């Protein structure tokens, strides 16, 4: 009777994985579990008391203002994801198939440069640009079609989302498109497929994973963003991120703010896993 050889644990591999596991445990899993526990706490006399009560969940989930903010935030994030993906694709297509290797490297370099500056600083700069007496309205007034109210509107919020997401979307889409075998596109043209049809039937299916990943990043960043809705959108109506701040300031209601945060995290997890599953699903299944 033969015995199966015992496999010893690879301590070398474990040693390399341990720092990442410890880091994730201390700075992600640990705080997340504490926030879940805190959502069941009670606040009495402006002080939190450890408890296991569902009153915070019942209060927040039964209020219309919570669901109004939830669906408003979801709508803005979906709209920002769609606009970013559509605007980024022509630039990514050009960099991947039309531009030279040198041009592509320089373009990626310039797309990375905005991340060297704080996102908050860039949003403050856009406050000046979108203001009633800002650069854009000055130009519109000069030709007699302005000024327009752009600051403290949903348009301002969307501009902030594009500032945050567009460079990253172009980078991710470019890398995905650049890995496509151009001979497949040429074969489609030889078989009578037009340029636009080739994009939808050949290029986009082959780059589906990268396009979906870019869209997921856009949704995650937009859904959880606080800066653009507050400083460019005027915080009216509030998004969930603004509601977290307002709730925590209202009588030190950190447990209720934790309910809002957990709802956001669950939404992001559902969207992310659904989108990634769609991205890696093989055709025909």
């Amino acid at each position: 009777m033969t015995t199966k050889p015992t496999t010893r644990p690879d301590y070398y591999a474990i040693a390399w994985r341990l720092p990442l596991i410890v880091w994730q445990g201390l700075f992600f899993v640990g705080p997340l579990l504490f926030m879940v526990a805190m959502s069941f706490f009670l606040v009495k006399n402006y002080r939190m008391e450890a408890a296991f009560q569902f009153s915070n969940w019942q209060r927040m989930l039964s209020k219309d203002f919570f669901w109004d903010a939830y669906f408003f935030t979801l709508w803005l994030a979906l709209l920002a994801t769609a606009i970013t993906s559509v605007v980024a694709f022509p630039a990514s297509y050009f960099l991947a198939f039309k531009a030279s290797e040198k041009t592509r490297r320089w373009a990626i370099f310039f797309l990375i440069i905005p991340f060297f500056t704080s996102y908050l600083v860039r949003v403050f700069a856009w406050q000046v640009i979108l203001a009633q007496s800002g650069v854009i309205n000055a130009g519109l007034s000069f030709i007699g079609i302005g000024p327009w109210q752009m600051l403290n509107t949903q348009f301002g919020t969307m501009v902030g989302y594009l500032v945050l997401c567009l460079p990253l979307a172009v980078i991710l889409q470019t890398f995905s498109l650049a890995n496509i075998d151009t001979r497949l596109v040429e074969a489609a043209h030889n078989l009578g497929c037009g340029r636009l049809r080739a994009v939808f039937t050949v290029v986009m299916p082959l780059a589906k994973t990268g396009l979906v990943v870019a869209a997921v990043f856009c949704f995650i960043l937009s859904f959880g963003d606080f800066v653009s809705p507050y400083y460019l959108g005027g915080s009216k109506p509030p998004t969930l991120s603004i509601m977290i701040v307002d709730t925590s300031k209202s009588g030190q209601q950190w447990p209720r703010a934790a309910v809002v945060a957990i709802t956001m995290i669950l939404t992001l997890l559902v969207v992310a896993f659904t989108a990634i599953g769609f991205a890696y699903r093989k055709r025909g299944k």
Side-chain angles (χ1 to χ4, degrees):
M1 184 176 181
T2 60
T3 58
K4 295 182 179 180
T6 58
T7 57
R8 296 181 179 180
D10 190 349
Y11 294 106
Y12 179 78
I14 294 175
W16 280 103
R17 295 169 184 166
L18 189 60
L20 179 61
I21 296 174
V22 173
W23 178 275
Q24 291 291 331
L26 289 176
F27 298 104
F28 179 73
V29 179
L32 182 61
L33 293 177
F34 176 74
M35 185 169 61
V36 172
M38 186 172 62
S39 68
F40 300 101
F41 290 0
L42 296 177
V43 176
K44 296 181 179 180
N45 297 325
Y46 299 97
R47 292 185 179 181
M48 281 196 306
E49 295 182 0
F52 190 76
Q53 301 289 334
F54 288 91
S55 57
N56 297 313
W57 288 89
Q58 292 174 352
R59 179 178 178 83
M60 296 304 295
L61 298 182
S62 63
K63 296 298 182 180
D64 291 336
F65 66 82
F66 171 81
W67 292 110
D68 291 341
Y70 178 84
F71 288 113
F72 179 67
T73 306
L74 186 65
W75 158 249
L76 287 181
L78 291 173
L79 182 62
T81 301
I83 294 175
T84 303
S85 300
V86 172
V87 172
F89 187 80
S92 305
Y93 185 89
F94 173 79
L95 293 176
F97 296 112
K98 304 298 182 181
S100 63
E101 186 66 28
K102 183 178 179 180
T103 303
R104 186 188 307 164
R105 287 198 298 266
W106 277 106
I108 297 298
F109 172 74
F110 285 118
L111 287 169
I112 293 174
I113 283 181
F115 295 102
F116 295 169
T117 307
S118 171
Y119 171 50
L120 182 60
V121 174
R122 285 181 280 158
V123 167
F124 279 146
W126 275 99
Q127 272 191 323
V128 178
I129 297 172
L130 298 177
Q132 196 75 8
S133 58
V135 177
I136 296 178
N137 273 320
L140 294 176
S141 299
F142 180 77
I143 60 178
I145 59 173
W148 294 85
Q149 180 67 31
M150 291 181 283
L151 198 60
N152 298 328
T153 62
Q154 293 185 27
F155 173 79
T157 301
M158 202 57 53
V159 170
Y161 286 162
L162 289 175
V163 170
L164 176 64
C165 302
L166 189 57
L168 181 61
V170 173
I171 292 172
L172 293 175
Q173 288 186 5
T174 300
F175 287 154
S176 179
L177 294 172
N179 290 324
I180 295 177
D181 189 351
T182 55
R183 293 175 297 180
L184 297 175
V185 182
E186 294 173 358
H189 291 324
N190 293 334
L191 292 173
C193 190
R195 291 183 179 274
L196 188 61
R197 185 180 178 186
V199 169
F200 285 101
T201 59
V202 179
V203 175
M204 294 184 70
L206 292 175
K208 180 179 70 172
T209 301
L211 298 179
V212 172
V213 169
V216 168
F217 270 102
C218 293
F219 181 85
I220 291 174
L221 293 174
S222 302
F223 190 79
D225 185 34
F226 169 82
V227 176
S228 289
Y230 189 82
Y231 289 104
L232 297 180
S235 71
K236 292 180 181 180
T239 59
L240 289 179
S241 56
I242 296 175
M243 181 177 290
I244 290 176
V245 177
D246 293 341
T247 304
S248 61
K249 289 181 178 179
S250 176
Q252 299 295 319
Q253 287 293 341
W254 291 96
R256 295 176 187 173
V259 173
V260 181
I262 293 170
T263 305
M264 295 179 68
I265 293 173
L266 292 176
T267 302
L268 291 175
L269 289 176
V270 170
V271 172
F273 281 110
T274 302
I276 296 301
F278 169 76
Y280 286 96
R281 184 177 61 186
K282 295 181 179 180
R283 299 182 65 181
K285 288 187 177 183

